[in-house]
Amino acid sequence: MKKLLSVTGFMALLTLMKMISGFLIAKFVAIYAGPTGMAMLGQIQSIVTSFSGIVNAPVSSGLIRYTSENIDYGYNKCAPWWKASLQWALGILLIFIPLGILFSSNLSIWLFDKDEYYWIIIVVCLTLPLNVINTLISSVINGQQKYKKYVLLGMISTVISTLIMLYFIYAYNIRGALIAASINYSLYGVVMLISSVREPWFKFKYWFGSLEKYHLKKIGGYVIMAITSALTVPLSLIIIRNLLVDNFGWDNTGQWQAVWKISEVYLSIITISLSTYYLPRLSKLKNIKEIRTEINKTTIIIIPIVILSALFIYIFRDFAISVLFTDKFKTARDLFAIQLCGDVIKILSWIYAYPMISRGATKLFVTSEILFAITFIVFTYYFIGVYGIKGVNIAYLVNYILYFIFVFCNLKKM
């Protein structure tokens, strides 16, 4: 428990910086691009998240798990898993980048109702290799549980990327915001690469060479899970934004996006802590009793933090809107209550869902991701017809209540 608190403290420093970064970027977008720009930024961020999730699938959760499990036995024990992860990543990049460029115009029309932003999609595709490098190096550092280094590199990357993003937004308005969002993760990759070239584990022999099919197959299970998340979560948000745009227009969609952005930023301190400490910890546990004990300990610490954070944001929502955005976003204040309730249930359900990742429960994970992405869209379609734009927040809450019931009831199967 002390270690979780320590890691959460370190992650709090990193997340505080990322929160400041996120709020600065949101403020600049609000000033220079308005609610429409906020909604458009949400669209490109979702497609970046989706693309990143697909190409990073082999070098994220699976790499963290197997590095964590084997690092005590030396780099040679980790090497087969590192080689398998990299081979998967290179194969996906070789297929995905040409496809993304080929369908860039179609994606632009889907995201923005016009094809003039096709070049943004191309930029996203061409920077994906640096994106993979960022995730790969971060995962190895995470798997070794070198939290201080993880935080330091994260801070440096955040400062550099934020300054560049703010410049683009200031200089080029909406176009600049879209450019900034498309290259953000690649900037992190440059920092990670420069910082790691002299690391003892960053040697050719640990990453390239022959390996057994067993390692490729095991990493392949995580590839399936990560690609499923990359396709379902961001794409469901794109579809939901399109529904909101069709029914309420870009400006009103931007109001909802502003509230969603605040949720993303303040919850990031929790999600980073979970992925950095909780996932490697679960990976080392061997039976259901130990896993349940770890879940209970984590819940006791994390959920009160989330509840207090949500209450704080709700009480000071008007102040947050005035500081983070502009007067054009005042109507967003009515969307906070249900959204924040959904945030609490979301984190609770994630605590119970992480064993699916740590144990490699591929079928259960894929089923849940697809099912609840579909239900989120369906609930949104229904509730916005009844309650207006607040319906998307109601759909969010209802969907995560059902998701929590699902993962709680299936814990033993994980």
Side-chain angles (χ1 to χ4, degrees), residues 33 61 105 145-146 158 182 206 219 259 288 314 316 372-373 383:
S61 299
S105 293
Q145 299 182 38
K146 295 182 177 179
T158 300
S182 67
Y206 295 134
I219 293 294
V259 177
I288 185 66
Y314 181 75
F316 293 99
F372 288 99
F383 284 122

Side-chain angles (χ1 to χ4, degrees), residues 54-59 82-97 129 132-133 136 216 219 223:
I54 292 170
V55 299
N56 286 325
V59 295
W82 294 349
K83 291 175 184 177
S85 297
L86 185 59
Q87 285 188 23
W88 269 106
L90 292 174
I92 293 172
L93 282 171
L94 288 173
I95 297 171
F96 193 77
I97 292 176
V132 170
I133 289 172
L136 183 149
L216 286 169
I219 293 294
V223 170

Side-chain angles (χ1 to χ4, degrees), residues 73 87 151 155 376:
Y73 306 102
Q87 285 188 23
V151 169
M155 286 181 172
F376 189 17

Side-chain angles (χ1 to χ4, degrees), residues 148-162:
K148 291 182 180 179
K149 182 173 183 178
Y150 184 92
V151 169
L152 178 61
L153 290 176
M155 286 181 172
I156 295 171
S157 301
T158 300
V159 171
I160 293 173
S161 65
T162 301

Side-chain angles (χ1 to χ4, degrees), residues 148-190:
K148 291 182 180 179
K149 182 173 183 178
Y150 184 92
V151 169
L152 178 61
L153 290 176
M155 286 181 172
I156 295 171
S157 301
T158 300
V159 171
I160 293 173
S161 65
T162 301
L163 292 174
I164 292 174
M165 289 183 75
L166 293 180
Y167 168 76
F168 274 109
I169 296 167
Y170 171 77
Y172 304 106
N173 299 330
I174 290 179
R175 287 176 177 267
L178 299 181
I179 294 171
S182 67
I183 65 172
N184 186 34
Y185 290 120
S186 63
L187 298 173
Y188 279 64
V190 173

Side-chain angles (χ1 to χ4, degrees), residues 164-222:
I164 292 174
M165 289 183 75
L166 293 180
Y167 168 76
F168 274 109
I169 296 167
Y170 171 77
Y172 304 106
N173 299 330
I174 290 179
R175 287 176 177 267
L178 299 181
I179 294 171
S182 67
I183 65 172
N184 186 34
Y185 290 120
S186 63
L187 298 173
Y188 279 64
V190 173
V191 174
M192 289 292 180
L193 184 60
I194 292 172
S195 68
S196 300
V197 289
R198 294 187 178 181
E199 287 290 334
W201 50 265
F202 200 76
K203 293 181 179 179
F204 187 89
K205 64 179 181 179
Y206 295 134
W207 294 95
F208 295 93
S210 60
L211 68 158
E212 298 176 5
K213 290 183 179 179
Y214 170 79
H215 300 97
L216 286 169
K217 183 179 179 181
K218 286 293 185 179
I219 293 294
Y222 281 92

